[in-house]
Amino acid sequence: WDERQEWVKDNISLISRVAKDPIGCLSDWEGAEEPWQFLAACDEYYHCCIVKDKETTGLPVATDATCSGLQILALLAKDEKTARLVNVLPSERPQDAYKVVAGVAKWNCPSHIQEVMDRKVVKRTVMTIPYNAKPYSNRAYIKDALKEKGIEIDKDDLTVTVQAVRDAMHEVVPGPMSVMRWIETEVSKAITRGEQELSWVTPSGFVVNQRLMKKQIERLQLQLLGKCEMYVATDDTDQVDRNRHKAATAPNLIHSLDSSLLSLSAIRFDAPIATIHDSVLCRATDMSCLSSLVRETYMHLFAEHDYLTEFAAQIGAETKPPIIGDLKPETVIDSTYFFC
């Protein structure tokens, strides 16, 4: 945050130029990562803080969770190692789990890939594995990221690279990966013993009912552009889809806890607010208050409850969840970069 504030102080002339003549100074802002947001911020800062002809601001700003899937899983497992990497624990500078995973994975990648293995290559894969992304989608993400660097990777090398990243996840974030394996195992057992659906109650009181049935498939014969056969799902059968339950439960649990965190925070926040998945938006002058509320809510959710054990009871788990137990969730209250 200090560096960001220093950047503003060092670029008053740039901000003023853009605000006063955005068309004439197009080259100053069109290359920004988010050019329209940058333009809006320059205009608002210029009028509120430089010429001071505006006394209030209506500009919304956003802060995002640091890899929210891993944040939630780290707290469920009470895994201090993972929590530190995703800014649940206080630190002087933001931590970067993507960079750490890339650093571990690179040594098991093909030699010509190692030099370019960085956070950008692995980010989408690391971000989506907590939501049960499988190797097939991992392949697409990594292939696209390498292509942006001008590198074409063949099928076999891509397989090795994807496996290296997935193996690195088990080494870098062991708690979350163990929780996901446990959830899949217990869900499979629940379906085997005859459960038709899974249900749990979130900390906000919302009841999740997960009912996933196998699809009724019909074969269509088409003759347009040559004879073609295709299969389409037309309705649910009366058979429970075990594989879909196994794949969906961890992501749905994470999303249900994400939504609890934001809904409980929003209820306590008496100002304009918007939310997008794991991101909160409010006026710049209200962000300090909202950030504190999000951290306090997170602390209450996980420091005062052993939610993974509660979830285990609600789905009738036959084994205890894999809780590491070396994390004190209340430390999040002092984490500057929990949402940033």
Side-chain angles (χ1 to χ4, degrees):
W1 293 119
D2 292 340
E3 291 175 7
R4 296 183 185 189
Q5 292 177 27
E6 285 301 318
W7 186 93
V8 173
K9 293 175 184 177
D10 293 340
N11 287 275
I12 294 297
S13 61
L14 168 64
I15 293 169
S16 299
R17 283 199 312 274
V18 171
K20 289 189 289 186
D21 185 12
I23 301 301
C25 298
L26 184 62
S27 61
D28 284 331
W29 60 274
E30 65 179 347
E33 185 174 345
E34 297 288 350
W36 296 107
Q37 290 183 26
F38 181 77
L39 175 61
C42 287
D43 185 75
E44 195 78 353
Y45 189 84
Y46 177 75
H47 288 289
C48 291
C49 303
I50 298 177
V51 296
K52 300 181 181 178
D53 57 3
K54 264 184 84 174
E55 294 184 355
T56 60
T57 176
L59 182 70
V61 297
T63 58
D64 301 340
T66 306
C67 200
S68 63
L70 288 178
Q71 284 184 337
I72 295 292
L73 289 169
L75 265 293
L76 289 175
K78 290 185 168 53
D79 175 7
E80 181 178 354
K81 179 182 178 182
T82 300
R84 189 175 303 281
L85 287 175
V86 291
N87 296 310
V88 173
L89 297 183
S91 60
E92 292 184 3
R93 298 181 62 83
Q95 302 299 300
D96 191 344
Y98 307 120
K99 182 178 179 180
V100 175
V101 172
V104 172
K106 67 183 294 183
W107 304 113
N108 293 317
C109 294
S111 57
H112 68 286
I113 299 297
Q114 292 180 3
E115 288 187 5
V116 298
M117 279 297 290
D118 58 17
R119 72 184 308 277
K120 189 172 183 180
V121 174
V122 307
K123 182 176 180 180
R124 291 186 71 188
T125 297
V126 174
M127 188 185 299
T128 55
I129 282 178
Y131 300 99
N132 245 329
K134 300 303 182 185
Y136 181 80
S137 61
N138 299 161
R139 292 175 69 88
Y141 295 151
I142 291 174
K143 184 177 180 179
D144 289 346
L146 289 172
K147 192 172 183 178
E148 287 183 13
K149 294 176 177 288
I151 297 174
E152 295 289 343
I153 185 170
D154 66 35
K155 180 175 64 176
D156 293 337
D157 284 349
L158 182 57
T159 299
V160 172
T161 303
V162 168
Q163 190 59 53
V165 174
R166 295 183 71 90
D167 289 345
M169 288 285 287
H170 286 278
E171 181 176 341
V172 175
V173 290
M177 302 303 287
S178 295
V179 169
M180 292 179 64
R181 285 197 304 271
W182 173 83
I183 289 174
E184 283 201 0
T185 300
E186 289 301 332
V187 166
S188 181
K189 291 177 182 177
I191 303 304
T192 298
R193 63 176 179 262
E195 297 292 343
Q196 293 289 304
E197 62 182 46
L198 298 177
S199 298
W200 63 90
V201 181
T202 71
S204 64
F206 181 79
V207 180
V208 179
N209 292 308
Q210 181 175 282
R211 179 178 173 84
L212 298 169
M213 312 302 286
K214 291 183 177 180
K215 295 296 182 181
Q216 181 176 306
I217 304 297
E218 293 188 13
R219 184 176 67 176
L220 302 181
Q221 290 188 334
L222 309 177
Q223 293 185 344
L224 183 64
L225 301 179
K227 187 175 181 180
C228 173
E229 288 189 357
M230 62 185 299
Y231 294 85
V232 296
T234 57
D235 204 352
D236 287 340
T237 67
D238 58 358
Q239 293 181 295
V240 179
D241 195 325
R242 183 203 313 267
N243 289 335
R244 287 178 65 203
H245 269 290
K246 289 171 62 178
T249 304
N252 286 342
L253 175 61
I254 292 170
H255 286 310
S256 71
L257 294 174
D258 270 340
S259 63
S260 291
L261 170 64
L262 295 188
S263 63
L264 291 172
S265 299
I267 287 170
R268 298 175 58 199
F269 183 64
D270 187 21
I273 185 174
T275 63
I276 306 172
H277 179 43
D278 62 347
S279 176
V280 292
L281 300 87
C282 68
R283 294 174 300 200
T285 45
D286 297 326
M287 184 53 78
S288 293
C289 175
L290 180 56
S291 294
S292 295
L293 282 175
V294 169
R295 292 195 301 272
E296 288 173 10
T297 303
Y298 194 85
M299 178 188 69
H300 293 314
L301 288 184
F302 294 102
E304 298 174 5
H305 300 275
D306 181 358
Y307 190 77
L308 192 57
T309 298
E310 294 175 13
F311 174 76
Q314 291 182 71
I315 66 169
E318 298 176 10
T319 60
K320 292 183 179 180
I323 297 173
I324 295 175
D326 59 359
L327 173 66
K328 295 181 178 179
E330 56 271 23
T331 55
V332 72
I333 205 71
D334 296 317
S335 177
T336 303
Y337 300 106
F338 175 56
F339 270 56
C340 65

